[in-house]
Amino acid sequence: MTTPVGRRERKKAATRQALADAALNLFIERGYDAVTLHEIAEAADVSTTTLLKHFPSKEALVFDEEADQEAGLVAAVRDRAPGVTIPQALCAYVKRVRIRPAGSDTPYADFLDLVRTTPALSDYAHRMWMRHQDALARAIAHSLGATPDDLRSAALARFALETSALANRADDPERAVDVAFDLLEHGWSTPAPRFGDGRD
């Protein structure tokens, strides 16, 4: 049975959401570095002290989905369709949540662009993303029937997560992810696929 959320908790959640929304709107409109914490607090009609009670840093205002990220990574491995390998499932997940599709123009695409073009945010996002390594490694090990400390599972988790940083530095992020996961799937000794690069 679900415990009803009290009025105090609802108010705190609403304030937190208002701050996150105000921050993201201001960052996209004016640029991350041009916006102050005081301006965000004013836009959400709270004090800067209240803002800092909800978010310990300016970067944290942009990222409020850490638990969802971890759950999504674990689910990508655990709930993949029959016949889909772990690298294939993780490749699809990384492209869906970390890469802006070519030609897309949505609020989420604006968010990804903001993170990619702001060093403080891209560094923070990468550190947060890599904190899911242990949970992902355990999910991979469980799927393989291995022990939780299986080194192969840990290595795959580490390298799978690092593909996001590789993609952010690439001219073609989606292709970078495909190439990285093909390497994880097939190994270095397998002839490299061409991925439509047009070379002979």
Side-chain angles (χ1 to χ4, degrees):
M1 183 175 178
T2 303
T3 303
V5 178
R7 183 170 178 269
R8 180 184 177 89
E9 286 71 25
R10 290 198 303 272
K11 185 175 180 181
K12 285 173 64 176
T15 299
R16 183 179 179 85
Q17 189 62 55
L19 284 164
D21 290 346
L24 187 57
N25 289 336
L26 287 170
F27 292 156
I28 290 173
E29 178 184 339
R30 293 167 45 196
Y32 176 80
D33 294 324
V35 178
T36 67
L37 291 178
H38 177 71
E39 289 171 322
I40 296 167
E42 279 201 335
D45 197 25
V46 300
S47 68
T48 305
T49 300
T50 297
L51 182 155
L52 291 171
K53 287 180 180 177
H54 289 275
F55 296 96
S57 68
K58 189 176 175 182
E59 295 91 343
L61 281 154
V62 181
F63 303 100
D64 196 25
E65 76 288 356
E66 186 165 7
D68 292 340
Q69 274 189 357
E70 188 163 295
L73 283 162
V74 170
V77 172
R78 183 191 61 217
D79 302 335
R80 68 191 189 281
V84 175
T85 66
I86 292 173
Q88 287 170 345
L90 289 173
C91 180
Y93 183 78
V94 169
K95 288 198 290 187
R96 186 169 69 250
V97 305
R98 304 286 286 184
I99 305 299
R100 172 177 177 165
S104 64
D105 187 18
T106 65
Y108 187 63
D110 290 340
F111 165 78
L112 290 176
D113 280 348
L114 173 70
V115 173
R116 182 179 56 80
T117 58
T118 308
L121 292 180
S122 58
D123 289 347
Y124 185 93
H126 183 65
R127 291 195 304 272
M128 187 177 78
W129 181 244
M130 295 307 297
R131 286 201 291 267
H132 307 314
Q133 180 181 334
D134 289 346
L136 179 57
R138 288 193 297 270
I140 294 170
H142 183 267
S143 179
L144 297 175
T147 59
D149 60 351
D150 176 56
L151 289 177
R152 291 176 70 250
S153 299
L156 178 55
R158 173 77 184 191
F159 298 139
L161 292 175
E162 285 286 5
T163 61
S164 176
L166 175 69
N168 285 336
R169 296 192 298 269
D171 292 334
D172 186 343
E174 191 165 357
R175 181 177 181 274
V177 172
D178 284 334
V179 169
F181 275 101
D182 181 78
L183 178 61
L184 292 176
E185 179 86 62
H186 299 109
W188 185 259
S189 61
T190 302
R194 302 200 182 275
F195 289 106
D197 61 7
R199 290 178 292 181
D200 293 331

